[in-house]
Amino acid sequence: MNGGGNISASPDAPQKWVSIPEYEKTVDLEHGRMRVRQRNHQNFVFAGAAGYLGAANPAINYLDGDIAFNAAANNRFMRVNDQAVRARRIDMLNNPVVLVRAALEPSTMIRNVRAEGTLQLADITLRSGETLTLAIDSASGMPEWVRWMAHDENVGDVTFRTSFTGYLPVKGVLLPMGFNTVIDFRNVVQNKLYVDKYAVDESIDDLSAPADIRASQAPQPQRPVAEATSVAKGVWLLHGSGGANSILFEFSDHLTMFEAPTSQTWTKVLLDRARVTVPGKPVTEVVVSHHHFDHTGGIRTAMAEGLTIVAHKGTESLFREIAARRGTIAPDAVGGNPKPLKFRGVDDVLQLKDATMQVDLYHVVSSSHMAEALFAYVPSARLLVEGDFFDVGWELYWWQNMYADNIAYRHLQVDTDVPVHGRVLPIGDVLKDIARQTKAAADLCTRTAAAGVFPPGCPVKSPSPILPDARGQ
Ligand SMILES: [Zn+2]
């Protein structure tokens, strides 16, 4: 998540890592093809068993010229979009041999050759359009690093830089034993690759796109559709095909949205739906449940529209950093001229109240998932509005008493859960489902322990009280 999935928004918060123990990249230089086979394991607790333990089958992705496709179930393949083509081209180039060969292609333009310390730098533009900067060590003549830019929904223009280290010969070709990729947002490490083995000029599988894939169209992006479903007087769940939910609150002279999730496009569709649902009142602010980048994928849209971001005070400096970043290399709401951020920080409690609506915002307690988070309570309808307290779609629950603790800590009367993920449910169903998901996590820990494997979160912990007990200890 480019550094946007940590427990808090601090640049010093420990990163969450995904390990990729089975990674194999095959490049067919002769035909311009690539296959990457990998199996991911999250090194932190989360809610899906496959992502947590590693899926039964590795993910297998292909690139053949300008066709990207993936292995799917039943020995079939699935063509994927042109965004994947661009990402995989860069991934293929992210190797000194592939890169130097691409630079030496007669159709490649090499510009702006310059010295930087002990390095010689050059900008390389390939016939396919990609531009990268290559740094060569002046003394050894070996590629030292490569740098390129990509768009990110949360942080706009991002510069990636992969360093190649520890060259060793394989069949007379010098190859690096380490790859380290860092981005220019908080110097977050994007990935670290530890090489076990290279194979040079060995026979490989045929990586060409099958005929049916070649004949099919690349999927085109569809404009998502949002609906507004009334939850209570003046409260709607905005939901649909483009991502997570947002919740709309109607005050007497303005509208407040809870969450700008998933992507800039989806948040724009949600904002438009809000304006159609309650015509004549402006949306003036967006409450952000927590900074995780899936929950703030549309925050640049909210910022560009001049909305006030209402969030826990601990997230302010992160959101200021994000607001100041330009987005110029792909459609981006902030674009080339960032505006100052309008931010309203919440410490422990903030009441949003006028003659027609009351929404109480509270700092989340008892959460190992997010320490600088808010949830909302609508007293008139006894609604608890939340992001990441619970999702009916989760398989495993590792967060102990988070949901019940927040109700108890704030002395709330809750009838209904109104979630960013999932659907509106009675609170009794939610608490029952959390118990079921928690048991599933405990069962999983029992199974893995029997196999001699001890993943994070295991054994499932019993909750600690968040208040001193009645004896004042
Ligand atoms: Zn989250």
Side-chain angles (χ1 to χ4, degrees):
M1 278 204 176
N2 291 333
N6 303 328
I7 305 299
S8 80
S10 164
D12 298 316
Q15 299 288 340
K16 287 185 183 165
W17 299 105
V18 174
S19 61
I20 308 177
E22 297 167 45
Y23 180 90
E24 180 196 82
K25 185 191 224 177
T26 308
V27 180
D28 178 345
L29 286 165
E30 191 182 347
H31 300 103
R33 297 171 187 153
M34 178 181 73
R35 178 182 66 197
V36 173
R37 200 168 6 200
Q38 64 183 68
R39 199 192 299 268
N40 296 2
H41 295 239
Q42 287 157 2
N43 290 354
F44 50 90
V45 296
F46 204 64
Y52 184 65
L53 291 179
N57 298 310
I60 310 176
N61 298 337
Y62 294 82
L63 179 69
D64 179 3
D66 52 9
I67 298 175
F69 59 105
N70 295 349
N74 306 321
N75 294 320
R76 300 185 68 85
F77 297 96
M78 192 179 67
R79 185 157 180 178
V80 293
N81 62 25
D82 292 338
Q83 220 177 333
V85 172
R86 289 190 290 275
R88 289 175 197 183
R89 271 203 198 117
I90 292 285
D91 188 27
M92 187 154 97
L93 288 162
N94 197 359
N95 171 288
V97 171
V98 183
L99 195 56
V100 168
R101 287 176 59 115
L104 296 174
E105 284 283 327
S107 59
T108 297
M109 286 200 304
I110 300 185
R111 280 173 308 185
N112 197 13
V113 177
R114 69 251 188 216
E116 198 182 279
T118 60
L119 299 173
Q120 193 178 37
L121 272 52
D123 299 332
I124 295 167
T125 302
L126 306 182
R127 191 180 38 189
S128 48
E130 286 75 23
T131 294
L132 307 99
T133 300
L134 172 60
I136 305 271
D137 182 89
S138 305
S140 68
M142 298 307 293
E144 185 99 352
W145 51 253
V146 62
R147 186 168 74 194
W148 70 94
M149 284 174 82
H151 167 74
D152 182 88
E153 288 291 288
N154 291 73
V155 294
D157 297 345
V158 185
T159 299
F160 291 70
R161 197 179 102 161
T162 297
S163 299
F164 309 122
T165 51
Y167 280 93
L168 290 175
V170 181
K171 279 197 190 163
V173 181
L174 287 171
L175 288 162
M177 297 306 287
F179 293 70
N180 195 34
T181 305
V182 179
I183 57 174
D184 71 341
F185 168 69
R186 296 181 160 189
N187 294 319
V188 169
V189 172
Q190 189 71 20
N191 55 67
K192 295 170 181 283
L193 182 62
Y194 311 78
V195 176
D196 297 318
K197 179 191 169 167
Y198 281 108
V200 174
D201 289 344
E202 307 273 337
S203 66
I204 57 170
D205 296 335
D206 177 5
L207 306 183
S208 61
D212 60 324
I213 290 292
R214 194 162 279 284
S216 67
Q217 292 287 320
Q220 298 302 312
Q222 302 285 326
R223 183 101 185 146
V225 179
E227 288 175 55
T229 301
S230 174
V231 179
K233 187 172 179 296
V235 182
W236 290 264
L237 186 77
L238 306 175
H239 59 104
S241 59
N245 309 329
S246 187
I247 294 89
L248 176 64
F249 300 117
E250 180 183 359
F251 289 85
S252 49
D253 64 352
H254 70 277
L255 305 174
T256 298
M257 284 222 326
F258 185 97
E259 217 76 311
T262 310
S263 69
Q264 297 183 17
T265 300
W266 178 234
T267 288
K268 179 75 179 116
V269 168
L270 292 169
L271 281 165
D272 290 346
R273 176 51 58 196
R275 288 167 181 142
V276 171
T277 303
V278 188
K281 291 186 184 178
V283 182
T284 58
E285 58 191 1
V286 174
V287 178
V288 173
S289 72
H290 64 303
H291 73 284
H292 287 170
F293 279 4
D294 55 331
H295 288 258
T296 54
I299 200 165
R300 292 174 73 78
T301 300
M303 290 166 171
E305 296 211 7
L307 309 185
T308 299
I309 305 298
V310 182
H312 187 264
K313 62 177 184 173
T315 61
E316 178 170 359
S317 61
L318 170 69
F319 292 149
R320 290 209 182 280
E321 270 177 71
I322 286 174
R325 291 181 67 96
R326 289 151 42 89
T328 60
I329 57 174
D332 182 90
V334 171
N337 293 303
K339 287 190 271 193
L341 174 68
K342 294 185 198 163
F343 184 86
R344 187 171 186 194
V346 179
D347 185 355
D348 192 46
V349 185
L350 177 68
Q351 192 168 75
L352 306 174
K353 187 174 193 286
D354 68 8
T356 57
M357 177 59 65
Q358 178 179 338
V359 178
D360 298 335
L361 301 178
Y362 292 108
H363 179 203
V364 170
V365 297
S366 189
S367 173
S368 58
H369 177 74
M370 45 189 183
E372 295 168 336
L374 302 178
F375 71 96
Y377 177 64
V378 183
S380 60
R382 296 160 58 130
L383 309 175
L384 194 149
V385 178
E386 50 84 12
D388 282 3
F389 276 35
F390 163 76
D391 181 343
V392 66
W394 285 349
E395 294 174 289
L396 310 170
Y397 199 92
W398 305 96
W399 301 283
Q400 304 157 35
N401 258 356
M402 180 197 336
Y403 206 122
D405 278 351
N406 277 282
I407 294 175
Y409 190 70
R410 303 297 179 179
H411 308 289
L412 308 179
Q413 301 295 320
V414 176
D415 290 340
T416 306
D417 172 67
V418 185
V420 171
H421 295 301
R423 56 179 190 270
V424 175
L425 285 173
I427 188 67
D429 291 10
V430 168
L431 297 176
K432 238 184 280 173
D433 222 29
I434 288 175
R436 183 184 59 79
Q437 294 172 359
T438 303
K439 177 161 187 321
D443 290 348
L444 181 142
C445 290
T446 306
R447 284 204 323 272
T448 54
V453 176
F454 303 93
C458 291
V460 169
K461 314 295 180 295
S462 61
S464 293
I466 49 174
L467 290 172
D469 69 22
R471 291 161 300 173
Q473 289 169 335

